[in-house]
Amino acid sequence: MISMANLARYGRICFDATLVLLIVATSANRAAAQGFDRVHNRNGTKFGKITKMNVLGFTLTRGGVETKIPVEEIVSITFAGEPEDLAPARSAATAGRFEDALAKLNRIDRNDIDRVEIAQEIDFLVTLCKAELSLSGQRSLAQAEQEVTRFLSKNGKSFRVPAAIELLGNVLLANRDYDGARVQYAKLGKARAPYFKARSALLTGRSLHAEGKDEAAVAAFDQALQAAEGNVVAESQKLEATLHRAVSQSALGDVQLSTDTVNEIISRADREETQLLAQAYIALGDCYLQAEKNKAALDAFLHVDLLFNSSAAEHARALHELAQLWEAKGQSDRSRDAQQRLIDKYPGSRWAKQ
Amino acid sequence: MKSLLSSLPSQTAASGTHFTRTFIATRFLLVALVLLVPTLPLRAGQTPLRADWAADYLAALRERGWHDVALEYLDGAAQDPLATPAFLAQLGYQRATTQADLARQAVGDAQRQALLTAAADGFQKFAAEQTDSPRQLQALATAGNLFTEQALYATSKAEKLPEAAHRQRERLQNSARGFLERAQLSLQNLLQQCDNKLKSLPKAAQLQKAALPKNPRGQDPRAQSTRQQLQAKRAEAKFLLAKLDFEKSRTYASDSKARQIALETAAAAFAKLYQDYEEKLVGFYGRLYQARSYQAAGNFEQALECYRDIVDQPPIANQDFRRLVARAYRYRAECHLRVDAPDKAIKECTEWLDASRGSELSEPDWLAVSYRLASAYEAKAASSAGSEVQKLRTEARKLYREIAKIPGEFQRDARAKMTSTISGSDKPAVLKTFDEAFGAGKEALEQMNSAKLAARLAKENNPDSVESLNEQAGAHQVAALQYFQRALQLSDVQTDSEQLVSARYYLCWLYWEDGRPDDAAVIGKFLARRYPESRFAPVAAKLALAAYQQLYNRAKQAGESTDFESQQLAEVAELLAVRWPESPEAAAGLNLLINIALLDDRLSDASQLLERLPPSSRGAAELRLGRALWTRYLNASRNARAGPDDAVMALKRQAGQLLASGYETLQVPSKATSKVTSSEAIGVLYYAQFLLAGGEPLQAVAVLENRSIGPLSLIEEQSSATQSAEFVQMAYRAALRAYVSVEPPEREKARAMMTALESTIGSEDKSQHKLITIYVNLGLELQQQISALTAAGQADKARGVAASFEDLLTRLTRRADSANDWKVQNWVANMNLQLGKGLRGKDAARYYQQAEVAYQTLLSKADQDPKFAPSPIAVLAAKKRLADAQQAQRKYAAAFQQYTSILREKPNMLELQQVVATALQQWGTEQNDAEKIEKSIRGAMPQTNKKNLVWGWLRLASIADQAKRKAEKKAADDPSQARKIATFENLFFQSRYHVAQARFAAAKLATGADRQKQLRSARQSLESMKRLYPKLGGPQWQGAYGKLLEQMEQVQ
């Protein structure tokens, strides 16, 4: 799943996303009022005017000085003169409140937009929110595929193109079009930046795992780890790659080592990284299922249900597993409760259909 | 002292119900003790728990009430990567808290008590180990509380026991005292810890100086607040310790010396508390309980004096204090009534209630005063005459009406009191003779019956009045009960004995109806024993039997000892059997005992009791016992790895005899014309299942179709015995199995059964899944039957069963949407494959071919529509079975191609590697192809990494050996490894066996010297295995290896 949190991860190393949002929210209007575009990257905040833009980043000009900002380093952005509903819509999307974000975006009058960058930003956020709703089973995936494709064809020079490509891959993956997803992920790997090399390999590995090709998946994750090695920006991919590598390794039979690895990741993770923790606990649950340790698996999936349930895809999966595990434990009421919540909250999710 | 003021208890009347008293007392202790411990500040360096995910997780589990999961989590929390050191440091405390929470959810009494004890022990352990923890005092307080809770529960139970249950009562009272002593130790420790902590604080004088605004020394001002809190806790701990003595008095007989001593000790301790904390709320509570101790000891004068110290206090607005005063008034009224001074009670209670605020009157303590005032009015009315009586009763009734409206300790009693004054007319019910009371009782009974009848009729004619009529019936029932109670009080030697027996019997029945089985049982048994000639005796005995059964069930559900109830049941049943052996009640009694014996799994007792039943009444019991034995046989034979032994087979025989006999008895005309019960119907169905399992389908059909008692006939008649959907489905399923198993199979009837079965199953997904499960299980049973017939050389019969089975498959295939249902189509394909495996030759080939076609269709659909198959794994499984079907038809190349296509995706699947090696070996052997045989040994299809895709037997043996060793290393810490060790060991010996077998096959294809060389090599390979592993993996492989060696010797 790609979300604004993932987008933030493009440029984030050890950064507190909540803090960023607060900073952005309080000072964005001031910057906008002064007529500056405002970009926050891992080194701080830069003001200026976006003078050039392509899929790999943009140039910020201030007082005749040009600064190139690669897309993978961007944590957040505020455009000069952007409508006042745009910033809260971004915040809502970052927090996973996609319906809320869409409502805010729909309030924006497109006739008032005179900058192409802002129009692209609104288009992207709308596409992202709708696709995320599809990924969590609340809309059709076919619809999402069309919408992301349309965004890409309309906005070929937007710095949001890499994120949209990843999004399209995710939609195809959710629809079990593994090869199609990998074609998209491979496009990311064509960029020179180690970050994208690592991201591409990581996403490819995830698609291979989903298809049951775990040996190939492990190789892809190794490739991601290798690409990220020594690069500060790409470093953020390492934890995620390690996590998914452990899951595939577990599927290949090396359960104990994988369990230890996932546990290590959890203990090292930033406590606010709830999405990563949700993924890690899903991985841990998978390892325990492989080892036929149902009690421990139930505990792992319960962590997602009770603590890290803001990540829709992981939560839906956890509810699905919990329904099975409770049933096996003879707790039919709890099983029904999990199943019902899965159906109520994620009706279109593939887990609800199983 | 704010915490003291807010936490002081709300205690109930000594005359209130024990349950309520126990509950409220427990609640009081909980509240008091929770508030007892201060929110002591965290020490420097301690991490606040709010940022702790593990604590959040635990809290979320508790919020959902999943204390069982919380406990499991805490047991493994040390391994949770999210658990912080601060969280881990308080694991013991959290575990004990969870055990206590879990105890309150426990259904069984034994489990509940065990958890409470474990929790209390856990708190104590935590307090002993974590002396610096801010939770230490809380842990001690809660431990004391939990022990007290257990003590009060045991006391309450002892008080509810019938008079005759001496031993049980004594045991419970001893247990209560034990818990109180443990609570005492915990609270004493708490007191000690408070003292220690107080000593470690700076002196009070210094604190006072520190608190002055100009104090220059800068001492810690928080210490002063801590001191005050610790002192408050100390006071409360002292109060609770004194209260333990008070509760202890309840664990002794009311006239015992020990009780007297306990009350004196409690009174002295409360007096000291009053003295030490004069003018403080806790001191006044000490005074109240000092008075209650005197009151409980029968020393009403002293009690009244102590209560006076409370009621004479000048008016105080504080609500906690006002509650205390209300209680004092209530207990004073109780004392006045005990010494026959209702006027004083009326005066004091009236004055207090008049002076109270309107909102207070509905509070529990004020309602208690109102109830005592009403009792005082009644008491005065009993000794008054003329219009005064009416006036007093009216006053009492007004109060009862108000009390009856509000849920609480006195609601039920107030309702009962109201009805006793309204029966018949508004006239006062002054009953001075047995005859008057007996007559009033009978009249109330008649009115009750009339009201009940009217309510039944009104259901159709006047539904609005049903509720009111039922209320009237209830009121008359309560009144009748009170009149008969009064009648017994008024009876004497002159009383007509038959009327006295009647009154007792009515009372017995009313107690039973009122949900008081204890009382009903005692009176019923007494009547049956003392007046055996009375017409009421057998029915009273039957009531006693039912009442004891209810008590037995309650005790059983609560996990308590059922010795007393079992003994009483046995006595009453014996009485019935001896006194009225031919009565239906006697049979009911013995049947009940048989049921209980079956519930307790005492089959031989049940068998002996059965012998005592009149033969004509045995049918149902025989069927029940037969069912129990049959179930036991099935369980035992399922668990017997080496097949059922003699004892297990004896169970089967006995079950069969009983089921057959029960069935025969039920068939006699008298029984067959009466209504068949659901238990009997189930018994007959079990008999049919027994016959089916024994290979007697024809007899099973006869039983199922029996016109009067056969399950199919009963279902057709819509008998009340067959209302359960599960029964109907079981019957149809048994009939279906029987019809396809008879010779020749009755295909039409079988089809009719399928239609009937499907009509009982809903259309939703779950139901459809259930139907498929039924068919799958039936299919498996039939497949076993087909295999057994084939093995016995009865190919014709096997073919007949297979044909009927085909009907079932066809039916499933044709079901709506089944063509698009992967599960159904997959199952149909699988069943064809299974049928093929059960048959031989051409018969088998037909099914293998059908299976192949079915799997190919399935896979083709999955290929066209990626969403058709539930998962990629399911597709692989279907491919594997397709290959199995092809292999069975000797389509070796196609099968091999399928197998290896799966291996490309899942090369590490051990099971598949074995299958492919076997397939290659079979292919080579059948087609005399030495190369393929060699590949089965050494593997085939090298990949880019130079490793073979098909491993072959040698690599399989090596991998199995390595995996076994790895599992052995882990086995010391993980007992579950034992299964893996056994699996890998078996695979190792299997693989090595195949290596030898394949080499032998290849040798036979060779000629001349080469042949001899290969034969020698094969033989050496086997012999070296025997040398290295003398046990050869157990008897199974020893036999196989030995046989192969013999074959080699013969060829050489």
Side-chain angles (χ1 to χ4, degrees):
Chain A
M1 178 181 110
I2 187 167
S3 66
M4 286 303 283
N6 292 86
L7 291 177
R9 200 175 296 132
Y10 282 128
R12 176 194 46 69
I13 305 301
C14 292
F15 203 85
D16 185 330
T18 313
L19 189 62
V20 173
L21 283 170
L22 281 175
I23 294 165
V24 170
T26 51
S27 54
N29 289 341
R30 209 182 322 135
Q34 289 168 356
F36 288 129
D37 293 321
R38 186 176 185 281
V39 180
H40 191 90
N41 70 1
R42 64 185 194 85
N43 293 323
T45 308
K46 294 191 188 314
F47 298 99
K49 182 158 181 57
I50 294 174
T51 47
K52 288 176 201 161
M53 182 188 283
N54 63 25
V55 295
L56 296 176
F58 46 71
T59 305
L60 203 62
T61 308
R62 189 179 177 189
V65 179
E66 289 190 342
T67 312
K68 283 191 176 174
I69 301 182
V71 68
E72 66 270 23
E73 290 191 12
I74 300 167
V75 175
S76 67
I77 184 164
T78 312
F79 296 100
E82 70 175 30
E84 61 179 23
D85 275 324
L86 190 54
R90 252 190 226 110
S91 303
T94 308
R97 290 181 282 110
F98 301 111
E99 277 170 346
D100 188 16
L102 273 177
K104 287 182 168 60
L105 290 165
N106 287 336
R107 283 208 298 259
I108 298 172
D109 186 347
R110 299 289 185 119
N111 295 321
D112 292 345
I113 311 294
D114 51 8
R115 283 186 67 185
V116 68
E117 295 89 347
I118 298 176
Q120 283 178 345
E121 181 72 351
I122 295 169
D123 279 350
F124 173 71
L125 287 171
V126 169
T127 310
L128 169 75
C129 292
K130 286 183 173 176
E132 288 295 353
L133 289 172
S134 297
L135 287 169
S136 67
Q138 297 170 65
R139 290 176 80 244
S140 111
L141 286 167
Q143 229 178 330
E145 187 184 337
Q146 281 175 10
E147 286 157 355
V148 185
T149 309
R150 199 180 308 132
F151 173 83
L152 284 167
S153 63
K154 260 180 74 183
N155 303 283
K157 291 187 176 171
S158 165
F159 77 102
R160 293 298 195 186
V161 164
I165 289 174
E166 181 177 335
L167 190 58
L168 181 57
N170 293 352
V171 170
L172 293 169
L173 180 61
N175 216 4
R176 298 192 196 172
D177 180 358
Y178 305 111
D179 291 336
R182 282 196 285 274
V183 168
Q184 298 304 321
Y185 297 148
K187 287 179 188 170
L188 295 177
K190 286 178 185 161
R192 279 187 197 165
Y195 172 86
F196 283 116
K197 301 270 183 223
R199 187 82 194 147
S200 169
L202 167 65
L203 295 167
T204 302
R206 285 176 63 178
S207 73
L208 288 164
H209 168 69
E211 202 181 350
K213 297 178 176 175
D214 283 295
E215 271 191 15
V218 168
F221 293 131
D222 284 339
Q223 207 183 328
L225 289 168
Q226 203 180 351
E229 193 60 47
N231 183 284
V232 183
V233 180
E235 192 79 8
S236 63
Q237 302 300 294
K238 280 176 75 175
L239 212 54
E240 209 177 329
T242 312
L243 179 68
H244 291 292
R245 187 187 189 283
V247 176
S248 285
Q249 197 67 44
S250 161
L252 289 172
D254 206 346
V255 182
Q256 190 53 52
L257 181 67
S258 306
T259 311
D260 293 345
T261 308
V262 179
N263 271 322
E264 177 66 17
I265 289 171
I266 292 172
S267 59
R268 275 169 42 203
D270 187 325
R271 288 296 180 259
E272 302 306 323
E273 281 271 30
T274 52
Q275 191 178 355
L276 178 72
L277 283 166
Q279 288 177 352
Y281 271 99
I282 291 287
L284 193 59
D286 278 336
C287 290
Y288 286 132
L289 284 179
Q290 286 280 338
E292 294 176 6
K293 291 181 177 174
N294 282 6
K295 209 190 281 182
L298 188 136
D299 185 67
F301 291 121
L302 261 183
H303 271 75
V304 181
D305 183 26
L306 298 179
L307 296 181
F308 311 119
N309 51 25
S310 57
S311 303
E314 284 73 21
H315 191 213
R317 166 79 200 285
L319 287 172
H320 170 75
E321 295 300 342
L322 285 171
Q324 324 285 317
L325 290 163
W326 282 129
E327 189 63 48
K329 218 177 171 219
Q331 297 271 14
S332 300
D333 286 354
R334 293 178 191 179
S335 168
R336 274 196 297 276
D337 167 68
Q339 187 65 30
Q340 197 54 50
R341 284 191 293 128
L342 172 62
I343 292 164
D344 291 347
K345 207 166 176 193
Y346 311 107
S349 144
R350 71 184 177 108
W351 302 111
K353 288 174 188 163
Q354 278 188 26
Chain B
M1 295 299 284
K2 176 64 188 156
S3 70
L4 270 178
L5 287 172
S6 59
S7 67
L8 277 162
S10 75
Q11 188 61 3
T12 59
S15 58
T17 63
H18 298 308
F19 175 79
T20 316
R21 188 165 59 186
T22 305
F23 175 75
I24 293 178
T26 305
R27 192 156 171 246
F28 147 60
L29 283 167
L30 263 174
V31 173
L33 286 167
V34 166
L35 295 174
L36 179 70
V37 178
T39 317
L40 294 175
L42 285 168
R43 283 162 191 275
Q46 280 175 338
T47 315
L49 296 175
R50 226 170 299 154
D52 193 335
W53 277 121
D56 287 351
Y57 180 57
L58 183 62
L61 289 171
R62 284 182 179 154
E63 197 183 320
R64 292 203 177 186
W66 293 351
H67 304 297
D68 52 335
V69 186
L71 199 58
E72 284 175 3
Y73 168 67
L74 288 167
D75 287 341
Q79 273 77 52
D80 182 0
L82 285 181
T84 59
F87 180 79
L88 294 175
Q90 41 143 343
L91 268 187
Y93 182 88
Q94 298 294 1
R95 190 177 290 117
T97 304
T98 309
Q99 283 169 328
D101 289 337
L102 203 52
R104 291 186 179 91
Q105 284 183 341
V107 180
D109 192 43
Q111 192 195 2
R112 181 176 169 277
Q113 295 302 318
L115 280 164
L116 283 175
T117 305
D121 289 343
F123 280 121
Q124 283 193 319
K125 187 165 179 272
F126 175 85
E129 289 171 356
Q130 308 278 335
T131 50
D132 288 337
S133 167
R135 293 180 188 268
Q136 188 209 17
L137 297 185
Q138 175 75 64
L140 284 170
T142 314
N145 172 46
L146 292 175
F147 286 133
T148 310
E149 187 180 337
Q150 284 174 289
L152 294 181
Y153 183 69
T155 308
S156 172
K157 271 178 66 181
E159 287 170 350
K160 282 182 195 164
L161 284 173
E163 183 59 33
H166 299 294
R167 270 195 214 160
Q168 254 181 293
R169 185 165 35 252
E170 205 173 308
R171 203 164 50 230
L172 284 166
Q173 287 171 335
N174 280 336
S175 157
R177 282 194 288 276
F179 284 125
L180 287 172
E181 277 160 21
R182 297 189 72 183
Q184 197 173 22
L185 284 176
S186 206
L187 291 171
Q188 279 167 346
N189 192 3
L190 171 64
L191 207 55
Q192 185 63 51
Q193 294 299 328
C194 285
D195 286 344
N196 293 347
K197 287 183 198 295
L198 278 166
K199 272 182 205 157
S200 68
L201 289 173
K203 298 279 180 215
Q206 288 174 330
L207 288 172
Q208 211 148 8
K209 280 182 191 170
L212 291 173
K214 289 181 184 174
N215 171 43
R217 289 192 282 178
Q219 287 158 329
D220 181 6
R222 285 188 306 176
Q224 192 170 8
S225 150
T226 306
R227 170 177 287 275
Q228 283 177 352
Q229 286 176 339
L230 286 168
Q231 279 170 339
K233 302 311 155 242
R234 200 170 172 277
E236 288 189 31
K238 279 182 167 182
F239 173 81
L240 292 171
L241 274 166
K243 197 163 173 297
L244 292 179
D245 280 323
F246 181 73
E247 296 297 349
K248 198 173 177 181
S249 71
R250 283 174 59 199
T251 68
Y252 297 112
S254 57
D255 54 353
S256 66
K257 183 75 184 159
R259 180 171 184 272
Q260 203 65 25
I261 292 170
L263 286 169
E264 281 168 13
T265 312
F270 285 124
K272 174 108 178 39
L273 202 71
Y274 178 55
Q275 201 180 346
D276 290 351
Y277 295 92
E278 206 179 351
E279 302 304 314
K280 298 223 166 63
L281 188 55
V282 70
F284 283 113
Y285 263 101
R287 194 63 161 169
L288 181 89
Y289 271 87
Q290 183 189 357
R292 288 196 60 194
S293 305
Y294 290 140
Q295 184 182 344
N299 191 346
F300 300 111
E301 284 305 314
Q302 265 189 295
L304 282 165
E305 240 176 74
C306 291
Y307 290 133
R308 182 184 300 283
D309 288 336
I310 299 168
V311 298
D312 277 357
Q313 290 297 313
I316 297 173
N318 179 281
Q319 201 55 31
D320 291 306
F321 194 82
R322 286 183 64 74
R323 284 194 193 103
L324 172 73
V325 176
R327 271 171 224 172
Y329 273 111
R330 166 206 175 149
Y331 294 125
R332 275 183 70 82
E334 285 175 7
C335 293
H336 288 318
L337 288 170
R338 287 298 302 267
V339 297
D340 237 355
D343 284 329
K344 286 184 183 171
I346 291 170
K347 183 174 178 292
E348 286 183 11
C349 291
T350 309
E351 281 174 4
W352 168 249
L353 292 173
D354 286 347
S356 296
R357 301 164 198 151
S359 60
E360 288 176 332
L361 297 178
S362 55
E363 283 191 27
D365 293 317
W366 276 262
L367 286 172
V369 178
S370 296
Y371 187 82
R372 294 295 172 228
L373 176 57
S375 309
Y377 281 134
E378 282 205 293
K380 194 174 178 197
S383 59
S384 302
S387 62
E388 180 69 4
V389 175
Q390 177 66 28
K391 198 178 143 196
L392 288 165
R393 287 189 185 279
T394 305
E395 288 300 319
R397 205 161 51 241
K398 270 193 225 165
L399 287 166
Y400 287 139
R401 191 178 301 127
E402 291 308 309
I403 300 164
K405 285 179 191 166
I406 303 167
E409 187 185 350
F410 296 103
Q411 187 183 44
R412 184 175 156 160
D413 285 351
R415 282 181 180 164
K417 293 277 186 184
M418 272 175 70
T419 56
S420 70
T421 56
I422 59 165
S423 175
S425 70
D426 229 10
K427 280 187 286 182
V430 182
L431 305 165
K432 294 188 173 167
T433 66
F434 172 87
D435 288 345
E436 280 176 12
F438 183 71
K442 284 197 77 172
E443 194 186 327
L445 265 186
E446 278 165 23
Q447 285 171 333
M448 179 197 81
N449 286 330
S450 305
K452 277 187 176 174
L453 180 64
R456 269 202 300 278
L457 296 173
K459 269 185 189 168
E460 287 178 7
N461 309 326
N462 184 11
D464 291 347
S465 65
V466 171
E467 195 182 339
S468 145
L469 286 165
N470 279 332
E471 272 176 20
Q472 279 179 33
H476 289 307
Q477 186 175 318
V478 173
L481 194 142
Q482 289 175 343
Y483 289 138
F484 287 120
Q485 279 176 331
R486 180 78 181 135
L488 293 187
Q489 285 168 3
L490 294 168
S491 66
D492 54 27
V493 286
Q494 307 294 325
T495 306
D496 177 78
S497 121
E498 189 56 28
Q499 280 198 344
L500 188 58
V501 171
S502 306
R504 284 190 170 123
Y505 171 71
Y506 292 137
L507 201 52
C508 173
W509 183 85
L510 287 163
Y511 279 141
W512 170 251
E513 286 287 303
D514 197 34
R516 293 164 65 177
D518 311 70
D519 297 320
V522 170
I523 298 191
K525 189 177 167 192
F526 169 77
L527 276 176
R529 274 197 166 163
R530 178 75 179 75
Y531 304 100
E533 303 307 323
S534 162
R535 65 193 164 99
F536 291 114
V539 269
K542 198 178 171 187
L543 264 180
L545 203 64
Y548 280 125
Q549 187 186 14
Q550 198 176 86
L551 293 171
Y552 170 89
N553 289 341
R554 275 189 201 169
K556 187 101 181 162
Q557 276 169 10
E560 297 166 6
S561 159
T562 53
D563 294 353
F564 174 75
E565 291 79 6
S566 298
Q567 191 194 335
Q568 297 301 315
L569 269 173
E571 283 178 22
V572 178
E574 188 69 31
L575 193 68
L576 276 163
V578 172
R579 295 262 186 206
W580 305 279
E582 297 305 321
S583 70
E585 283 82 10
L590 284 167
N591 266 311
L592 185 65
L593 288 181
I594 291 171
N595 275 351
I596 289 173
L598 290 176
L599 274 176
D600 292 346
D601 209 24
R602 291 180 284 112
L603 297 187
S604 91
D605 286 357
S607 191
Q608 282 173 20
L609 286 162
L610 185 72
E611 295 299 318
R612 296 183 56 193
L613 273 172
S616 60
S617 306
R618 278 184 198 166
E622 283 174 328
L623 287 172
R624 274 202 307 278
L625 184 54
R627 273 164 58 189
L629 288 169
W630 178 238
T631 308
R632 189 181 269 198
Y633 158 75
L634 290 176
N635 289 338
S637 56
R638 211 171 287 142
N639 296 333
R641 284 189 175 178
D645 58 18
D646 289 349
V648 175
M649 291 311 290
L651 276 177
K652 184 185 176 187
R653 269 196 306 280
Q654 209 185 340
Q657 283 161 6
L658 283 164
L659 288 168
S661 171
Y663 174 71
E664 293 302 328
T665 311
L666 283 194
Q667 281 196 94
V668 298
S670 63
K671 180 64 203 171
T673 48
S674 68
K675 214 172 159 188
V676 176
T677 67
S678 58
S679 170
E680 289 166 346
I682 294 171
V684 175
L685 181 54
Y686 263 69
Y687 182 44
Q689 289 174 337
F690 168 81
L691 291 169
L692 277 171
E696 296 177 274
L698 202 57
Q699 287 89 329
V701 168
V703 171
L704 288 162
E705 291 182 346
N706 183 299
R707 285 195 175 180
S708 52
I709 57 171
L712 292 179
S713 311
L714 292 172
I715 293 168
E716 203 178 323
E717 287 164 16
Q718 299 185 331
S719 157
S720 60
T722 62
Q723 295 303 307
S724 141
E726 200 183 350
F727 173 86
V728 175
Q729 285 165 11
M730 274 171 66
Y732 287 154
R733 188 173 174 278
L736 177 54
R737 165 108 193 263
Y739 290 140
V740 296
S741 303
V742 288
E743 191 190 341
E746 297 203 48
R747 289 173 74 172
E748 278 312 310
K749 283 186 175 177
R751 284 178 194 146
M753 277 306 105
M754 288 183 216
T755 307
L757 184 60
E758 286 163 17
S759 71
T760 65
I761 305 261
S763 58
E764 59 272 24
D765 283 354
K766 264 192 178 173
S767 307
Q768 289 301 309
H769 179 69
K770 191 176 173 186
L771 180 67
I772 291 174
T773 308
I774 291 174
Y775 283 160
V776 168
N777 289 334
L778 188 62
L780 290 172
E781 285 167 13
L782 289 177
Q783 193 224 330
Q784 283 166 9
Q785 196 176 337
I786 293 166
S787 298
L789 288 168
T790 308
Q794 296 175 314
D796 286 351
K797 286 186 183 177
R799 208 175 297 127
V801 177
S804 297
F805 187 48
E806 249 188 293
D807 288 344
L808 196 146
L809 291 182
T810 312
R811 195 173 189 91
L812 250 185
T813 315
R814 284 182 193 157
R815 284 187 69 76
D817 294 335
S818 69
N820 294 321
D821 188 328
W822 168 280
K823 276 184 192 161
V824 177
Q825 295 300 320
N826 185 42
W827 182 74
V828 170
N830 195 22
M831 277 302 112
N832 274 305
L833 184 63
Q834 297 300 326
L835 276 175
K837 285 182 182 170
L839 295 165
R840 284 178 193 163
K842 281 184 186 171
D843 294 330
R846 180 175 157 217
Y847 291 106
Y848 282 132
Q849 196 180 357
Q850 285 176 8
E852 185 185 357
V853 172
Y855 280 121
Q856 272 167 342
T857 313
L858 200 65
L859 289 166
S860 154
K861 277 185 189 168
D863 212 25
Q864 286 160 16
D865 176 6
K867 289 177 187 167
F868 180 57
S871 67
I873 291 291
V875 175
L876 291 183
K879 279 186 181 176
K880 197 251 172 195
R881 292 206 189 98
L882 168 61
D884 289 345
Q886 289 167 331
Q887 177 81 8
Q889 295 174 80
R890 296 192 168 85
K891 296 180 179 176
Y892 296 118
F896 186 72
Q897 192 268 330
Q898 281 296 339
Y899 285 137
T900 48
S901 77
I902 308 168
L903 274 186
R904 280 185 209 284
E905 296 196 33
K906 296 276 174 193
N908 296 329
M909 281 177 71
L910 270 183
E911 193 193 343
L912 191 61
Q913 288 286 2
Q914 289 172 64
V915 171
V916 184
T918 309
L920 263 177
Q921 189 184 341
Q922 197 181 344
W923 190 2
T925 308
E926 290 236 347
Q927 299 193 348
N928 295 335
D929 185 338
E931 192 187 341
K932 289 201 169 54
I933 295 176
E934 185 61 17
K935 282 180 178 171
S936 79
I937 298 171
R938 296 193 177 278
M941 302 179 71
Q943 304 294 292
T944 45
N945 60 5
K946 295 187 180 168
K947 287 184 180 171
N948 282 328
L949 181 67
V950 176
W951 291 352
W953 291 118
L954 277 177
R955 187 161 174 220
L956 270 166
S958 155
I959 283 176
D961 194 37
Q962 282 170 25
K964 189 190 111 188
R965 284 167 204 272
K966 205 172 162 186
E968 279 172 343
K969 276 185 191 166
K970 291 181 187 169
D973 302 324
D974 181 4
S976 69
Q977 296 291 330
R979 197 163 55 91
K980 283 189 183 170
I981 294 171
T983 306
F984 289 128
E985 187 178 62
N986 186 57
L987 177 58
F988 173 73
F989 285 104
Q990 183 193 2
S991 304
R992 297 299 311 194
Y993 170 81
H994 279 287
V995 170
Q997 193 190 42
R999 281 193 172 138
F1000 179 46
K1004 285 196 286 185
L1005 295 178
T1007 51
D1010 190 29
R1011 176 186 172 96
Q1012 288 310 313
K1013 190 180 161 192
Q1014 285 195 40
L1015 277 173
R1016 232 185 351 265
S1017 159
R1019 191 175 165 175
Q1020 278 168 357
S1021 159
L1022 261 191
E1023 282 169 345
S1024 69
M1025 277 298 285
K1026 276 182 79 177
R1027 236 186 353 267
L1028 287 168
Y1029 308 97
K1031 290 184 184 170
L1032 281 176
Q1036 182 200 350
W1037 291 115
Q1038 281 168 7
Y1041 276 85
K1043 210 170 168 185
L1044 188 58
L1045 199 58
E1046 273 175 30
Q1047 288 170 6
M1048 288 178 183
E1049 280 165 358
Q1050 281 169 12
V1051 173
Q1052 271 189 322

